[in-house]
Amino acid sequence: MMVIPGPASLELGGRIASEMGVEASPVGHRLFPDGESYIRMTGRVEGEAVVIVQTTAPEQDRRLMQAFMMAETARDLGAERVALVAPYLAYSRQDKRFLEGECLTLDVVMGLIECVGVDDLIAIDAHSEASLRAVEEKHNVRVHNLSAMPLIAEHLKGTGFDGAYSLSPDVGAIHQAEAAARVLGGGCGFFEKERDRKTGEIRMRVEDLDIEGRNAVVFDDIISSGGTMAKAVEGLKGQGASRVAAACTHALLMDEAEERIRNAGADVILATDTVSNPFSGVSVAGLVADYIRSHLNIV
Ligand code: R5P
């Protein structure tokens, strides 16, 4: 088997390879002056089960295209099986037609992944499990969605948040706070978020919680503009929470997101290495490697 880290996931791909006990097989990569990508397989993939690791966080389109190029090339050169680890799966939030005429981007991405010959897609905390299952039925790709929430909670447990209250900023994502609460042991709950589909503006209904003087953690899949996280942190601090951590799997942290979250009162920001940045204190490499070995039987 081979682990091929794509240009967007050199570090995480290297970590997954090392967890699996193999040398990573990097690809040759450069960008042409007009922005197009060049990809060249440097290892021999013929007859191999290959695991391509490429996150698709911004710049999403380029990184998706590079993932397609790697998968198609591996297939064309005779790889026996292709698994794509896209730890952050771009376009997975537009999984429904919220307004008439909208493009179902998750469906488009999955169709392209199928087209380039990927057998298994592995994502971490992709936005909606139900939507993933729905697109899986339409396409000939096996989809595996792993959760990093217990790992994030374990890390927080060891850094002063043992017994902290776990909060989901939206009722639809309560399963994430529940998974974390099983580790932290301090109970869990949710606020209710509403996003204006045209302006993107967020309104949050803050429930009364018994958290005065207690530590708390907000768990979300993604921090993008930071609006959701900032409102949730503010809601907890407003009710007298002591230390509050803003935790997520994928810290995209666009524009002023970090500042917004800090200004809302967050004492800690923590994320995983699905997107590499100064907050990726938790690695998903072991989780992915174990899953590939035990569920995909690639060793
Ligand atoms: C959306 O439903 C997700 O779970 C996140 O809450 C959302 O993507 C975060 O976006 P932002 O940081 O822009 O509020």
Side-chain angles (χ1 to χ4, degrees), residues 6 76 118 120 147 250 269 285:
D76 198 36
V118 171
D120 293 273
S147 177
H250 317 288
I269 301 176

Side-chain angles (χ1 to χ4, degrees), residues 93 127 169-170 193 195 202 220-229:
R93 280 174 290 180
H127 184 60
D170 193 11
K193 179 173 89 169
R195 193 186 285 272
I202 294 164
D220 206 354
D221 53 349
I222 305 168
I223 297 178
S224 180
S225 70
T228 304
M229 189 54 86

Side-chain angles (χ1 to χ4, degrees), residues 135-183:
V135 287
E136 190 183 32
E137 274 187 18
K138 288 175 68 178
H139 300 282
N140 190 23
V141 180
R142 290 180 292 270
V143 182
H144 313 267
N145 186 27
L146 319 185
S147 177
M149 291 299 157
L151 285 180
I152 300 172
E154 282 294 349
H155 182 99
L156 287 162
K157 188 175 178 176
T159 53
F161 284 89
D162 194 8
Y165 185 83
S166 301
L167 181 94
S168 165
D170 193 11
V171 62
I174 183 65
H175 60 282
Q176 293 170 344
E178 283 168 351
R182 284 194 280 278
V183 177

